[in-house]
Amino acid sequence: MKSTGHHIAYKASLTVSDGYTGLHSRDEYNAAIIHIFDLIKASYTLLVTGSSALSLFVSITVFEEIAKVHAGHMRSRDELEEKKKVKRTKDPLFNHNKKHRIAVDPLFLTSKRLYDSIGEDRLKDIISNYETGKYSLLREQSLYFSRTSEKLHIPSKFVSDRLSAEHLLIAIELFGEIFWGMTKVATIASDETDDIFVKVAEILNP
């Protein structure tokens, strides 16, 4: 599949806002990594305890936080490239759809374990649905109830275990693919998510 996420990521790296000025040290980078690692563990706990909708929401949050670190951590390095100062509302890393497209990029999602667990065709569908923005709606649909003129929407009745498990597997894959080797902390955390991946894959394909 054609990748567009890296173009958005590059533009985001050249932008800075008061809401996110980048990460200013290795310690800050590691702290952000551990924050994302904790979200992955939380998503897994929610999935195995029957809270698939909340697990899905947290996995999508992982996508967004990965995008922020991947595309924005170098914003603090003014000497590398001139940054464009924008308001938070114009910052790509405060736009849910753009963060999803940065993270859910086919460049990062080509591993055999992902194809074996989710299925190559299904994985392509998920990537495509984020590219078009269709799946970005899942963020709200997994957390908020609504009542339209047609029906009542309750997240727990809408989100399946399978959809939630698929997203968590993608979140884990992205975490390892993007951050493994960046720092010792990131590498250890990435290695630890491999065990979670195996457990979630078994839920998806018992």
Side-chain angles (χ1 to χ4, degrees):
M1 295 182 64
K2 184 178 180 181
S3 168
T4 60
H6 67 284
H7 295 298
I8 302 171
Y10 178 68
K11 290 180 180 179
S13 73
L14 300 180
T15 301
V16 66
S17 71
D18 289 338
Y20 186 32
T21 61
L23 299 173
H24 294 252
S25 67
R26 177 179 289 263
D27 286 344
E28 288 191 2
Y29 184 92
N30 285 334
I33 293 297
I34 293 303
H35 161 66
I36 299 171
F37 179 48
D38 288 341
L39 289 175
I40 289 173
K41 292 186 289 184
S43 179
Y44 174 69
T45 298
L46 289 165
L47 177 64
V48 298
T49 55
S51 298
S52 294
L54 289 176
S55 173
L56 175 60
F57 178 80
V58 175
S59 289
I60 294 172
T61 302
V62 171
F63 296 169
E64 297 182 2
E65 297 293 72
I66 285 174
K68 283 165 61 181
V69 175
H70 172 61
H73 77 276
M74 296 296 287
R75 286 179 169 187
S76 59
R77 302 290 299 276
D78 291 332
E79 71 274 16
L80 296 180
E81 292 184 84
E82 186 176 351
K83 306 296 189 297
K84 179 182 178 181
K85 184 71 179 289
V86 297
K87 293 181 179 179
R88 175 177 168 144
T89 54
K90 298 294 185 180
D91 189 338
L93 296 182
F94 286 96
N95 179 293
H96 297 300
N97 179 262
K98 289 182 178 178
K99 286 185 288 186
H100 300 163
R101 290 170 65 191
I102 289 170
V104 188
D105 189 317
L107 290 174
F108 305 131
L109 301 172
T110 59
S111 74
K112 184 177 184 301
R113 70 174 186 173
L114 207 55
Y115 289 160
D116 289 345
S117 57
I118 295 178
E120 187 171 355
D121 289 341
R122 173 57 182 152
L123 182 60
K124 288 179 179 179
D125 285 342
I126 293 172
I127 294 170
S128 176
N129 283 333
Y130 274 107
E131 181 67 26
T132 62
K134 177 181 178 181
Y135 264 15
S136 288
L137 298 175
L138 289 175
R139 182 182 178 278
E140 290 194 5
Q141 292 171 339
S142 63
L143 189 63
Y144 302 109
F145 90 87
S146 62
R147 181 59 170 97
T148 66
S149 59
E150 297 177 355
K151 61 180 179 180
L152 175 69
H153 169 82
I154 299 294
S156 62
K157 305 297 183 183
F158 172 77
V159 177
S160 67
D161 290 347
R162 184 170 190 84
L163 182 63
S164 183
E166 289 171 341
H167 275 69
L168 181 50
L169 289 176
I170 291 172
I172 293 169
E173 185 69 20
L174 290 169
F175 186 75
E177 185 68 21
I178 295 173
F179 300 132
W180 193 94
M182 296 299 290
T183 66
K184 183 178 180 180
V185 168
T187 299
I188 292 172
S190 297
D191 287 343
E192 290 186 19
T193 63
D194 288 341
D195 289 337
I196 301 176
F197 189 101
V198 171
K199 293 174 182 176
V200 177
E202 290 174 351
I203 293 172
L204 199 57
N205 301 292

